[in-house]
Amino acid sequence: MSDDIAGRKITRRQLLWTPPAALGAALLADAPAYGAGRTIARICRSSWGGKPATGAYVPHQISRITVHHSAVVLRDNRKAPAQLRSFQADHQSRGWPDIAYHMLIDRRGNLYLGRPLSAAGDTNTSYDPTGHLLVLALGNFQVQEIPEAQLNMTVNVLAWACTRYRIAPSAIRGHRAYANTLCPGDRFQRYITDGTVERRVTGRLGTVTLKNLCGDAGRRRVRQIVNGTH
Ligand SMILES: [Zn+2]
């Protein structure tokens, strides 16, 4: 069964899950003039030196997306992989099985896999992260601005996730929407509050493909990050 909206055929199924705000973009997503598709590379855990989980994960189904910052000022992006290892060690020392977050983005827009997406995250704050995809940008955005490269990759990740999990871009929230926290920092949160993130994500729905950068390719990429060339 299908309906014809603006001269384009869409299925009943699409109509049922697609929120109105996203519908326009979904209809346009396969139109070449609307912008080429983009492929984003996600660095595997073993490539950044992630350790195996130290306990059992809680499985979940993703139905929300929450944006976070690390709340640790990062100025020299060459330190990003080491910072991820340190966050993981800290989180595992609290009794959590793994680094708390799923998708992590550094200041130059490199993307890293944290906890597997099939596993619920963890938090120190008073909300239940079960069902949330936790997307984290490295830095403290109470103090620093978010660089365009980092914001741009975050938008790509959010667009991929909204498409993959059928979540409306208008439903993306900063951590502070759920708990008493400054996360993800005023200088990041303002782009969520003023609709910038929603607008940019909506424009990329259905256009972002994710590939994993593992093994030698992943290690090579991390070496480039550590020596400042990526
Ligand atoms: Zn947070």
Side-chain angles (χ1 to χ4, degrees):
M1 168 127 13
S2 70
D3 289 89
D4 194 325
I5 291 182
R8 298 285 304 275
K9 289 283 183 193
I10 62 166
T11 64
R12 171 72 65 190
R13 191 157 154 266
Q14 281 176 307
L15 268 182
L16 289 176
W17 72 264
T18 309
L23 204 50
L27 288 167
L28 288 166
D30 59 351
Y34 198 72
R38 61 200 93 205
T39 299
I40 56 175
R42 182 177 62 184
I43 298 165
C44 291
R45 293 163 59 92
S46 58
S47 301
W48 59 260
K51 298 268 177 24
T54 50
Y57 293 126
V58 176
H60 75 155
Q61 302 280 339
I62 290 171
S63 59
R64 299 170 193 267
I65 304 172
T66 325
V67 176
H68 301 260
H69 72 165
S70 61
V72 176
V73 172
L74 177 63
R75 301 208 189 278
D76 181 354
N77 197 68
R78 294 175 297 182
K79 295 176 179 162
Q83 208 174 52
L84 295 187
R85 294 192 293 274
S86 137
F87 289 147
Q88 186 192 36
D90 175 57
H91 293 181
Q92 290 180 327
S93 77
R94 301 179 197 196
W96 298 345
D98 205 344
I99 192 167
Y101 306 95
H102 298 110
M103 304 279 251
L104 302 102
I105 300 143
D106 72 19
R107 289 178 67 75
R108 294 188 68 172
N110 297 294
L111 170 64
Y112 309 80
L113 176 63
R115 185 175 296 213
L117 275 58
S118 58
D122 272 301
T123 180
N124 271 330
T125 62
S126 59
Y127 82 112
D128 179 0
T130 305
H132 292 244
L133 176 69
L134 307 179
V135 177
L136 177 128
L138 292 172
N140 184 331
F141 305 113
Q142 281 300 111
V143 176
Q144 344 182 234
E145 296 295 330
I146 182 163
E148 171 54 26
Q150 189 172 27
L151 182 61
N152 184 55
M153 179 56 93
T154 304
V155 167
N156 282 335
V157 170
L158 296 171
W160 172 84
C162 282
T163 305
R164 170 84 173 71
Y165 298 105
R166 300 179 171 185
I167 295 168
S170 60
I172 296 166
R173 295 283 181 273
H175 182 178
R176 62 174 65 177
Y178 294 101
N180 182 22
T181 173
L182 291 172
C183 182
D186 289 348
R187 293 171 184 189
F188 190 178
Q189 177 64 38
R190 69 172 179 230
Y191 296 121
I192 300 170
T193 306
D194 74 6
T196 299
V197 165
E198 181 186 344
R199 189 186 71 251
R200 292 181 66 175
V201 169
T202 300
R204 297 182 197 181
L205 287 177
T207 71
V208 180
T209 306
L210 181 68
K211 70 162 188 177
N212 288 309
L213 214 49
C214 302
D216 286 345
R219 281 188 293 275
R220 201 159 45 239
R221 174 64 56 86
V222 170
R223 276 200 302 275
Q224 291 172 330
I225 294 166
V226 169
N227 70 29
T229 58
H230 210 285

